[in-house]
Amino acid sequence: SQQGEEDPQALSIQEGENATMNCSYKTSINNLQWYRQNSGRGLVHLILIRSNEREKHSGRLRVTLDTSKKSSSLLITASRAADTASYFCATDRVIQGAQKLVFGQGTRLTINP
Amino acid sequence: EAQVTQNPRYLITVTGKKLTVTCSQNMNHEYMSWYRQDPGLGLRQIYYSMNVEVTDKGDVPEGYKVSRKEKRNFPLILESPSPNQTSLYFCASSEQGRGPQHFGDGTRLSIL
């Protein structure tokens, strides 16, 4: 079953606005990752945040992690049309003794020009 | 350029006709995996490999086989494809299973 649950499922905003997507999970994690997927293409790794980190930045991306609430958020500032994509969180968990990544179902982000 | 290469990108075939989707990575990664992506179900892991000759089942392994004879290659085999295996398939590699994954561009399979 999918551990990460993204919210909202879909988000549509105007170019230049900020976009915030959330991810909740159920069990303890070592790290949480965010990926982007352009339509029909492979996922691209954006950022990894470890369980002992609270915030991380990469260019226009800001990721926060609240382990007490078991949630993370991805903020994209000053959005551009090229940011239109689906965004997935992935959490690592141990399943039957193996360390694995579990992906959520994603947030579909549309940036309107 | 670091990349994961899948072939073919698109395939339409018929029930029962064996097919192989190839995956190759040039980053010397030990960990490789296969996922399928279906609307409403997200990305589900089919099989993964921690290293050469080491493979294990993911969440949805039924109807699939894999092999890892070389570090760079991790083919996905459908011995007798069925329509419920129509999906978008992704191969991924990483230095370790829980680290950043590098994905291929995907293979869209249609089984008629």
Side-chain angles (χ1 to χ4, degrees), chain A residues 24-39:
Chain A
S24 60
Y25 57 93
K26 296 185 176 73
T27 62
S28 297
I29 59 170
N30 291 299
N31 70 63
L32 185 144
Q33 303 175 39
W34 285 92
Y35 290 79
R36 183 187 74 236
Q37 183 182 31
N38 290 94
S39 181

Side-chain angles (χ1 to χ4, degrees), chain B residues 82-97:
Chain B
S82 61
N84 64 11
Q85 293 177 299
T86 291
S87 187
L88 180 57
Y89 291 85
F90 290 102
C91 179
S93 74
S94 65
E95 290 185 0
Q96 54 176 278

Side-chain angles (χ1 to χ4, degrees), chain B:
Chain B
E1 180 190 350
Q3 59 186 5
V4 176
T5 303
Q6 295 178 228
N7 279 298
R9 292 290 315 281
Y10 304 91
L11 179 63
I12 301 173
T13 187
V14 295
T15 299
K17 187 176 180 183
K18 180 180 177 180
L19 67 92
T20 299
V21 184
T22 63
C23 174
S24 180
Q25 51 94 4
N26 62 0
M27 294 165 279
N28 202 36
H29 285 162
E30 293 189 345
Y31 185 92
M32 297 184 75
S33 61
W34 276 102
Y35 296 88
R36 61 177 288 174
Q37 186 176 33
D38 302 287
L41 296 175
L43 215 64
R44 294 178 293 170
Q45 192 180 55
I46 303 170
Y47 267 96
Y48 65 97
S49 170
M50 302 287 285
N51 212 327
V52 175
E53 302 291 1
V54 181
T55 63
D56 212 340
K57 296 177 181 178
D59 298 318
V60 286
E62 294 78 20
Y64 305 94
K65 284 175 59 177
V66 292
S67 68
R68 188 92 182 273
K69 296 190 173 83
E70 306 164 278
K71 200 170 190 178
R72 64 182 292 127
N73 296 322
F74 190 46
L76 178 70
I77 302 156
L78 284 72
E79 292 270 2
S80 183
S82 61
N84 64 11
Q85 293 177 299
T86 291
S87 187
L88 180 57
Y89 291 85
F90 290 102
C91 179
S93 74
S94 65
E95 290 185 0
Q96 54 176 278
R98 63 184 185 190
Q101 305 284 304
H102 296 256
F103 281 81
D105 278 338
T107 295
R108 190 168 290 280
L109 281 184
S110 293
I111 316 293
L112 305 177

